[in-house]
Amino acid sequence: MKKIFCYMILAAMTFGSTGCYKDKGNYDYTDIGNVVVTVSSGIHTYLVQMGQHLIIPVTVTSDVPESELKYMWEIFDENSRFREFGEGRDFDFIIRPDNYFPTFGSYSVRLRVSREIDGHTHSMYSSLITITISGGDLGLMVLHGNDTESDIGIIMDRHFLVSANAQIEERIVYNSYSSVNGAKIPGRGVFIIQQHMTGGVVPIETCNIFIRTDQAALFAGAEGMVKKGDYMDLFYSTPTSPSLNNGNLQKIQFYNNNNRCVIDDGVLFVSTGLANSRFSIPKVFTGRPNLKASKHSFIVNQNLQGLIFDENTRGFIRASLTTVGEVAPTIINSAGWGPFNPANMQADLLYLDNIGIGASGNHLGVFQEDDGTIFLGEINFNAANTSDANAFAVAKYNISRLPEFESAKFHAVGANSSTCYYATSTAVYQYAVLRESGTSDARKLMVGAEQVPFTGEITMMKILKSPVFTGISAYHRANRMMLVGTYENGVGTLHAIMIDNMTGQAESHRTFTGFGRIYDVNLKSM
C-alpha cells in the first residue's frame, strides 16, 4: 500500500474533467491518446481524520493499452512548483505528516498520467484537487502500551468534553499518536497532559501535549498529535550553560498559556512570557541551595505562588515563582507547631492534591513516616500568616488502620471531604475525612447496593479536574469523573465512574476496552 504523510484532518477533494497542465521538466505535451480521468464514486468531497486510510478510486479510460500508462501524484509546493509524492492511479494513502504537508492549510494535488513514446515522456493531467487540513479529535486521551512502548488513544465521548452541551460522534481511536507519526513512543507510560488555551488568545499551533514514559519525554501538537520535539527542546542551551537540566522530567504544570513550570529531577524551572518560550535557568532558593523539589509540588494560585515540598529536608516552603532565577522562599516556622511540623514533616510525601475542605485552598497530603506509618496531613496554603505553623498545619489523620492501605498504589480526592479514595491492585476504596473523629471507615466503591466490578490488575486511578486556570470553561464533570484502568489477559479497560460529591459513592459505571495497559488519562480540549 502506498503511503503519504499528511499533517491534517479535514479534506475537501474534487476532480474535474480531463485537463492538461504544463510543468517545467523534460516532458513532451503532444497527445498521448484519448484519456479521460474521473472519480469512480462521483463523490468530490472527503472528510478524513489524522491516521485514516483514505482511498479514492479513479477511473482512466483511454485508447492506449493500460500497460503503457504510468501514474504519479503531484503536489503544488511552497516554491510554486509541482513535485511528485506517490505512485499509483487511485488515491490510496494513509494520512500522515511529512515534508509534503508541513503545516495546516490548503494544498493542491493532481494525478499525472504519462506514456513513453520514442524515448520521450508524454503527459496528461487531472484537474486540481484541493486538500484542506484542520481540526482534531476531542475527548479523553489514554496513554497505554505494553511496558516497552506506548501509544495515545482518544475516547471521543460527550462525557469527556469540556462543555456539557457539546456534541460529538462517539468513537475510539486507539493509535492517535503512532498513526500520525509512524511509530509508537519508546518505554512504559508515566503521564500525559495538554497545555490548555485561554479563549483562543494564543494560536492553537502553540498548544502542545506532553508525554512522558520511562524512556522518553516529548511533546506533540494538540491539534494533530504530530510530534514537535523532545523534552530537551524546551530548554535554551548556551556555550556557558550547555545543559541546564538533567533530562528527567518528573512533572509539568501549566498555569495559563504564558506560564508553565517543570520539575526535572528535583530542579524547578519556570517559563513565563510567550506560550512557546523556552526555559532558561533553574530556580535557586535563597538559603536552600540543595533544595530537591518533589514532583507533587505545584502552583496553587494566580500569582504563581508555589507550594514546594523539599525532599531533602522533608519540609514545605512557599515561594513566588517568577522569571528571576533566585527566589526568596517563605520558610514555615517550625516553632510551636500543632498537629504536625510542616517545616520538618519527618515523613515522605506520597500524594498531594487540593480537596477544598475547610478554608479555601486546603490541600490533603498522604505521608509515610520512617517506621511505615501512613497519615493524612491537611494544609491551608492560604493561611493569613503562612510563617505560623499552627495556621499552615490544619489537621493530621491516622489512616494506617484502613483496610489494605499499606498496599495502596494510587490516591485520589474529589472536591470535598467525602470523596477520598485509594486503590490497591484489585480494589478501589472510599473513605471520608471527619474533623471530629479523623476518618471514616473505608469500604469498597459501590454503585447502589453493588460493588463496582474490577477484574484484572488496577493500573491507574484518577479523578478528572478542570485546568488550574479558568481561561477556558471548567470541565463540567470536574471532581466527579473517576477513571480507573484495569488490565487482564493482555487487554486494558477504562472504567468511567461518576461519583456523588456529597456521599462519595458511585452513581454510574461504564467501560471502554481494547487498550493496552493503561498508564494515565487526561482531557483533550482542542
Side-chain angles (χ1 to χ4, degrees):
M1 179 177 63
K2 303 172 295 296
K3 297 181 179 180
I4 184 173
F5 299 87
C6 309
Y7 187 66
M8 30 247 121
I9 292 177
L10 179 70
M13 312 180 69
T14 57
F15 265 102
S17 59
T18 303
C20 183
Y21 298 85
K22 289 194 175 183
D23 182 24
K24 294 180 180 180
N26 185 26
Y27 303 122
D28 185 343
Y29 295 96
T30 59
D31 188 10
I32 66 172
N34 183 21
V35 177
V36 178
V37 181
T38 58
V39 176
S40 304
S41 64
I43 300 174
H44 297 147
T45 301
Y46 298 85
L47 300 179
V48 297
Q49 293 289 332
M50 183 72 78
Q52 181 177 333
H53 182 192
L54 177 61
I55 300 176
I56 305 175
V58 177
T59 299
V60 177
T61 59
S62 174
D63 55 7
V64 177
E66 175 72 16
S67 60
E68 296 185 17
L69 297 178
K70 294 183 178 180
Y71 303 99
M72 179 65 68
W73 289 90
E74 301 177 337
I75 184 170
F76 195 71
D77 65 16
E78 67 279 3
N79 296 318
S80 298
R81 64 183 183 186
F82 282 96
R83 57 173 173 156
E84 303 172 350
F85 66 80
E87 297 183 50
R89 182 190 62 191
D90 296 337
F91 191 98
D92 183 0
F93 303 111
I94 294 177
I95 308 303
R96 292 177 178 166
D98 77 349
N99 59 344
Y100 295 110
F101 300 87
T103 187
F104 300 101
S106 296
Y107 298 86
S108 296
V109 300
R110 68 184 184 184
L111 175 64
R112 186 179 82 225
V113 183
S114 60
R115 180 189 181 197
E116 294 287 336
I117 302 177
D118 298 330
H120 296 277
T121 300
H122 304 262
S123 299
M124 183 69 71
Y125 295 83
S126 73
S127 60
L128 294 177
I129 302 167
T130 301
I131 303 179
T132 302
I133 323 292
S134 65
D137 296 331
L138 305 180
L140 185 76
M141 298 183 293
V142 181
L143 182 62
H144 66 109
N146 60 6
D147 289 350
T148 60
E149 56 184 4
S150 301
D151 210 334
I152 301 171
I154 299 180
I155 301 176
M156 283 162 275
D157 186 282
R158 63 186 179 85
H159 294 93
F160 302 129
L161 299 182
V162 172
S163 172
N165 299 320
Q167 298 295 321
I168 196 171
E169 179 185 355
E170 297 185 359
R171 63 191 183 91
I172 301 176
V173 176
Y174 295 96
N175 58 345
S176 178
Y177 182 89
S178 64
S179 64
V180 170
N181 296 286
K184 295 184 179 181
I185 306 164
R188 177 190 176 99
V190 177
F191 67 76
I192 183 170
I193 185 172
Q194 176 181 314
Q195 179 180 2
H196 294 272
M197 291 178 59
T198 54
V201 174
V202 177
I204 194 171
E205 290 80 4
T206 65
C207 182
N208 299 315
I209 294 167
F210 292 80
I211 307 104
R212 181 73 165 102
T213 71
D214 61 359
Q215 297 183 30
L218 55 91
F219 57 102
E223 187 169 11
M225 203 65 76
V226 178
K227 181 180 176 181
K228 297 172 69 174
D230 294 307
Y231 166 63
M232 298 291 284
D233 295 327
L234 297 177
F235 291 80
Y236 288 110
S237 181
T238 66
T240 56
S241 303
S243 180
L244 294 173
N245 65 312
N246 299 306
N248 181 19
L249 174 63
Q250 295 170 289
K251 180 174 185 175
I252 183 165
Q253 183 189 346
F254 309 101
Y255 172 66
N256 57 27
N257 287 303
N258 298 326
N259 301 307
R260 63 188 177 189
C261 67
V262 299
I263 296 175
D264 178 346
D265 202 22
V267 180
L268 192 144
F269 296 81
V270 175
S271 174
T272 62
L274 298 176
N276 58 350
S277 61
R278 296 184 180 183
F279 297 102
S280 54
I281 59 176
K283 296 300 171 187
V284 178
F285 291 83
T286 304
R288 294 284 186 95
N290 298 317
L291 181 142
K292 185 177 182 181
S294 164
K295 66 179 181 181
H296 300 293
S297 308
F298 55 91
I299 297 171
V300 295
N301 63 36
Q302 62 182 358
N303 296 319
L304 292 181
Q305 295 291 319
L307 180 61
I308 312 298
F309 183 79
D310 185 354
E311 292 185 342
N312 287 331
T313 62
R314 298 199 291 183
F316 285 97
I317 64 172
R318 173 177 174 163
S320 296
L321 307 176
T322 66
T323 55
V324 180
E326 186 162 312
V327 178
T330 301
I331 307 298
I332 306 301
N333 186 0
S334 61
W337 53 275
F340 56 85
N341 182 358
N344 182 13
M345 296 295 297
Q346 300 184 43
D348 295 324
L349 177 60
L350 305 181
Y351 176 82
L352 185 68
D353 204 349
N354 187 316
I355 57 176
I357 68 175
S360 175
N362 281 17
H363 291 71
L364 187 68
V366 179
F367 298 87
Q368 184 171 28
E369 298 176 328
D370 294 336
D371 64 0
T373 301
I374 299 175
F375 69 90
L376 295 181
E378 185 180 344
I379 299 168
N380 180 9
F381 179 83
N382 291 325
N385 179 10
T386 54
S387 63
D388 182 357
N390 286 304
F392 192 85
V394 177
K396 181 178 181 179
Y397 310 99
N398 185 352
I399 52 177
S400 293
R401 62 180 176 81
L402 300 181
E404 294 193 282
F405 202 91
E406 71 282 356
S407 301
K409 298 174 60 178
F410 310 103
H411 301 273
V413 296
N416 58 50
S417 59
S418 297
T419 52
C420 300
Y421 307 88
Y422 62 93
T424 66
S425 296
T426 58
V428 175
Y429 289 88
Q430 172 216 342
Y431 66 100
V433 172
L434 306 173
R435 284 284 172 78
E436 296 77 16
S437 56
T439 63
S440 69
D441 292 332
R443 66 174 183 175
K444 292 183 178 179
L445 190 62
M446 308 287 288
V447 176
E450 302 293 329
Q451 181 180 320
V452 178
F454 298 112
T455 59
E457 175 194 359
I458 294 177
T459 61
M460 61 81 57
M461 178 181 67
K462 171 181 280 189
I463 294 179
L464 289 180
K465 300 178 182 292
S466 294
V468 175
F469 58 96
T470 57
I472 65 173
S473 300
Y475 174 49
H476 69 285
R477 294 176 181 263
N479 290 307
R480 297 190 61 208
M481 177 61 75
M482 172 185 282
L483 297 163
V484 179
T486 59
Y487 189 69
E488 184 178 33
N489 297 326
V491 178
T493 299
L494 188 71
H495 301 255
I497 304 166
M498 282 296 297
I499 56 178
D500 184 287
N501 273 336
M502 297 304 296
T503 66
Q505 293 189 21
E507 296 178 331
S508 64
H509 171 229
R510 59 189 301 207
T511 59
F512 304 88
T513 193
F515 298 95
R517 182 183 292 269
I518 299 173
Y519 307 112
D520 191 22
V521 296
N522 231 316
L523 292 173
K524 186 175 188 298
S525 63
M526 64 198 67

